[in-house]
């Protein structure tokens, strides 16, 4: 006899927690099956520990650009201890308390779907039956490229939980994880070499990656653009020899390191969750409809629509806040459908209104469409650029403030469809842009949203003036 719940969530990360919570708030019973720590990657090996490492670096960097302030030295042991605190010392007691307090049942073990609406919780654990839905929220794993497979490379888990700075660190990959970890570990004492096949942060306009590369170089990181790994070997004394392949140049320079971080992308955690029992392919991302129901290769719902997938695993936006949003949407949709109602909300943000902050020095923050995205979507756009350092508030914020803003305007509706900011403190500024983009606030209306003087946000006024208002 199976234990029955209205909803069974596989994976107790931020996404799964939100899906279960919203289902319970909607009057349903819910169980979460978690194989490691409740709180997921985000709490222990991603957002929280990485940002706990990076905030002191940002504070020191800002202090270093402030006449009249001395003492910008980091104390690595203290920074790492602060990180341990924010990673809850890799214990999930508090999150388990929260889960239980929210009325959600917890099963420990690997959850595997065994057929329509059933999940086995752990190898020899109980069989659970879902009356209404199963939500897959199992997240993603770091991808290790074959050329690094034999050298026991660091993945993002090691890079966020290491107990000391390796003297020499090679980072492979110039995306968000590579840039953030280069920022953190160089500040904590490692000699970092960053190898990036293309420009840094290459999904964003060039200025973003260029400013981050300049910041990293100023911090002493050896940034190699157009470089990748030809081969790598680890010797008996632990040293890794990384042979670099340079785009368009001769291969063969060898760099010695104590650790190599593979920051080369993510793969869905779906290899061993029983997808084959319901006609899906193990190891694949799980495409979803606008309420997070999984759709099969033919575009149709799985068996009437009891299977949902939220967070990294559906590949829409690999970010905690977007996974949590999707979790809320799915929980509400499941509760509404169980009561014979239409879902109250759908995934309007999708992939077009995704805010993201890259916590480098300087920070990069973006929301909405880039110029390229907008043009690809057939919009008639105008791109407005502005040097943030020209704003009086920016000069007061930091001596010699260097930063750049780019606003993408849909000319037919005269609304902002995208904003990209690079500069100190811009992570806290992007939400204003998110509101303007999602609310489709007309530029002529925004003109009356007067930014306080002298803040960096006076940038908004300058962007509107540069547009011609
Ligand atoms: C270094 C790094 C830094 C990041 N920084 C940020 C950031 O600053 N901001 C941000 O928004 N995003 C950040 N991200 C991305 C963010 O971590 C993910 O988008 C987020 O964790 C996804 O949440 P999730 O719930 O989908 O998956 P996860 O957080 O991965 O949680 C999935 C959970 O499912 C469990 N699980 C997996 N398989 C099973 C199974 N079969 N049975 C039972 N349980 C299972 C796992 O143990 C885990 O607890 C970062 C990522 C990395 C790698």
């Amino acid at each position: 006899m199976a234990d029955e719940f209205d909803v069974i969530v596989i994976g107790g990360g931020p996404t799964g927690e939100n899906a279960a919570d919203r289902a319970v708030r909607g009057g349903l019973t819910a169980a979460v099956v978690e194989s490691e720590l409740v709180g997921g990657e985000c709490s222990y090996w991603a957002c929280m520990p990485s940002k706990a490492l990076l905030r002191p670096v940002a504070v020191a960097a800002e202090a270093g650009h402030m006449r009249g302030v001395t003492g910008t030295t980091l104390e690595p042991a203290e920074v790492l201890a602060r990180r341990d605190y924010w990673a809850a010392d890799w214990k999930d007691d508090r999150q388990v308390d929260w889960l239980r307090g929210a009325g959600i049942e917890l099963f420990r073990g690997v959850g595997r779907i065994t057929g329509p609406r059933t999940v086995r919780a752990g190898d020899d654990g109980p069989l659970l039956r879902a009356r209404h839905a199963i939500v897959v929220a199992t997240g993603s794993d770091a991808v290790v490229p074959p050329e690094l497979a034999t050298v026991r490379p660091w993945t993002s888990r090691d890079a966020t939980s290491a107990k000391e700075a390796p003297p020499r660190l090679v980072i492979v990959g110039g995306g968000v994880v590579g840039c953030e970890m280069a920022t953190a570990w160089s500040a904590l004492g490692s000699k970092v070499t960053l190898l990036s096949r293309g420009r840094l942060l290459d999904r964003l306009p060039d200025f973003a990656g260029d400013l981050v590369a300049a910041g990293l170089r100023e911090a002493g990181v050896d940034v190699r653009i157009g470089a990748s790994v030809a081969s790598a070997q680890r010797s008996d004394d632990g040293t890794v020899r990384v042979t670099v392949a340079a785009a368009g140049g001769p291969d063969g320079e060898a760099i010695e390191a104590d650790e190599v971080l593979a920051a080369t992308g993510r793969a869905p955690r779906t290899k061993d969750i029983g997808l084959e029992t319901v006609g899906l392919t193990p190891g694949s991302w799980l495409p979803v409809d606008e309420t997070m129901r999984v759709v099969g290769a033919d575009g149709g719902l799985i068996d009437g629509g009891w299977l949902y997938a939220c967070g990294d695993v559906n590949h829409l936006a690999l970010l905690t806040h977007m996974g949590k949003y999707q979790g809320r949407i799915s929980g509400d949709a499941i509760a509404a459908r169980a009561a014979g109602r239409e879902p109250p909300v759908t995934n309007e943000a999708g992939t077009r209104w995704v805010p993201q902050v890259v916590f480098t020095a300087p920070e990069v923050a973006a929301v909405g469409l880039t110029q390229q995205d907008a043009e690809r979507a057939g919009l008639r756009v105008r791109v407005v650029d502005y040097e943030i350092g020209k704003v009086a508030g920016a000069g007061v914020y930091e001596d010699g403030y260097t930063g750049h803003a780019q606003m993408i305007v849909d000319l037919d509706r005269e609304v902002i469809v995208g904003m990209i900011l690079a500069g100190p403190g811009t992570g806290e500024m992007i939400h204003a842009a998110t509101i303007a983009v999602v609310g489709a606030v007309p530029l002529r209306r925004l003109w009356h949203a007067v930014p306080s003087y002298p803040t960096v946000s006076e940038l908004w006024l300058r962007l509107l003036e540069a547009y011609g208002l």
Side-chain angles (χ1 to χ4, degrees):
M1 176 68 185
D3 290 337
E4 283 210 339
F5 295 89
D6 291 323
V7 185
I8 298 166
V9 179
I10 309 178
T15 301
E17 288 176 332
N18 273 266
D21 184 39
R22 291 299 273 227
V24 169
R25 285 170 194 242
L28 302 183
T29 60
V32 164
V33 184
E34 171 54 53
S35 58
E36 292 186 82
L37 295 175
V38 175
E41 206 72 15
C42 169
S43 302
Y44 309 101
W45 298 285
C47 326
M48 292 313 283
S50 63
K51 269 74 249 187
L53 289 176
L54 284 160
R55 182 63 195 144
V57 180
V59 170
E62 286 184 6
H65 289 95
M66 186 66 64
R67 185 175 166 191
V69 176
T70 48
T72 58
T73 321
L74 288 182
E75 293 178 36
E78 286 300 309
V79 174
L80 291 169
R82 180 176 187 272
R83 182 278 317 270
D84 294 355
Y85 170 81
W86 282 105
D89 284 311
W90 294 272
K91 296 190 184 81
D92 65 359
D93 313 11
R94 272 182 289 175
Q95 302 246 17
V96 171
D97 285 349
W98 174 84
L99 204 75
R100 296 210 165 115
I104 301 161
E105 190 94 14
L106 172 64
F107 291 85
R108 298 276 191 185
V110 175
R112 292 185 188 90
I113 298 168
T114 58
R117 297 169 200 262
T118 53
V119 174
R120 169 97 41 211
D123 293 343
D124 307 313
L127 185 68
L128 312 179
R129 183 177 301 281
R131 285 183 209 101
H132 297 293
I134 291 174
V135 181
V136 177
T138 48
S140 64
D141 277 319
V143 171
V144 173
E147 57 277 16
L148 294 181
T150 59
V151 298
R152 302 185 305 280
W154 270 12
T155 67
S156 49
R157 282 199 166 196
D158 307 285
T160 49
S161 63
K163 297 293 176 203
E164 58 187 9
R168 299 163 300 175
L169 173 65
V170 169
I171 298 180
V172 184
V176 176
V177 172
C179 290
E180 287 188 346
M181 290 300 98
T183 306
W185 289 108
S186 65
L188 291 170
S190 299
K191 181 180 174 333
V192 176
T193 306
L194 176 60
L195 306 179
S196 181
R197 232 185 254 280
R199 306 179 78 96
L200 302 188
L201 306 177
D202 62 0
R203 290 186 194 158
L204 292 171
D206 292 352
F207 70 82
D210 291 348
L211 281 168
V212 170
L216 287 171
R217 288 190 172 119
E218 193 188 329
V221 176
D222 182 358
V223 179
R224 312 270 186 102
I225 306 292
S228 55
V229 177
S231 63
Q233 293 86 35
R234 195 184 274 274
S235 56
D236 293 343
D237 69 357
T239 303
V240 188
R241 241 177 112 79
V242 178
T243 308
V244 178
D251 290 353
E253 188 197 346
I255 303 173
E256 293 203 334
D258 302 286
E259 300 294 350
V260 182
L261 166 61
T264 43
R266 311 287 300 174
R269 265 197 214 114
T270 57
K271 277 198 195 115
D272 185 24
I273 60 165
L275 289 184
E276 65 286 358
T277 66
V278 292
L280 295 168
T281 309
S284 57
W285 300 103
L286 295 175
V288 290
D289 72 1
E290 74 287 354
T291 57
M292 305 297 142
R293 287 179 300 188
V294 175
V295 293
D298 60 356
L301 296 173
I302 306 301
D303 194 17
W306 53 268
L307 185 63
Y308 291 66
C310 301
D312 281 11
V313 83
N314 65 28
H315 209 220
L316 286 176
L318 279 68
L319 289 162
T320 290
H321 44 279
M322 298 314 290
K324 287 163 67 174
Y325 166 77
Q326 296 167 10
R328 297 194 291 272
I329 290 170
S330 68
D332 285 1
I334 295 164
R337 287 188 175 119
R341 287 183 273 108
E342 281 300 304
V345 282
T346 59
N347 183 17
E348 282 191 55
T351 53
R352 63 186 170 145
W353 293 338
V354 177
Q356 175 164 27
V357 176
V358 187
F359 292 78
T360 38
E363 286 174 356
V364 174
V367 63
L369 308 179
T370 61
Q371 177 181 7
Q372 217 182 8
D373 297 331
E375 286 172 352
R376 214 179 289 134
L379 300 182
R380 210 166 56 84
V381 294
R382 175 143 163 232
V383 177
V384 181
D385 285 282
Y386 198 82
E387 294 304 319
I388 307 177
K390 289 201 240 163
V391 177
V396 176
Y397 185 90
E398 183 174 306
D399 296 336
Y401 188 110
T402 306
H404 190 94
Q406 187 172 83
M407 172 172 85
I408 317 295
V409 178
D410 172 352
L411 287 171
D412 292 325
R413 293 185 300 148
E414 258 201 345
V415 297
I416 303 173
V417 291
M419 181 79 86
I420 302 104
L421 307 174
T426 50
E428 290 296 340
M429 289 172 65
I430 200 65
H431 195 58
T434 305
I435 292 169
V437 169
V438 174
V441 184
L443 287 188
R444 283 164 208 283
R445 191 82 210 134
L446 271 182
W447 196 83
H448 298 281
V450 183
S452 297
Y453 184 83
T455 62
V456 189
S457 293
E458 263 215 333
L459 167 68
W460 284 88
L461 179 54
R462 301 286 166 250
L463 284 168
L464 293 180
E465 283 170 352
Y467 179 77
L469 292 181

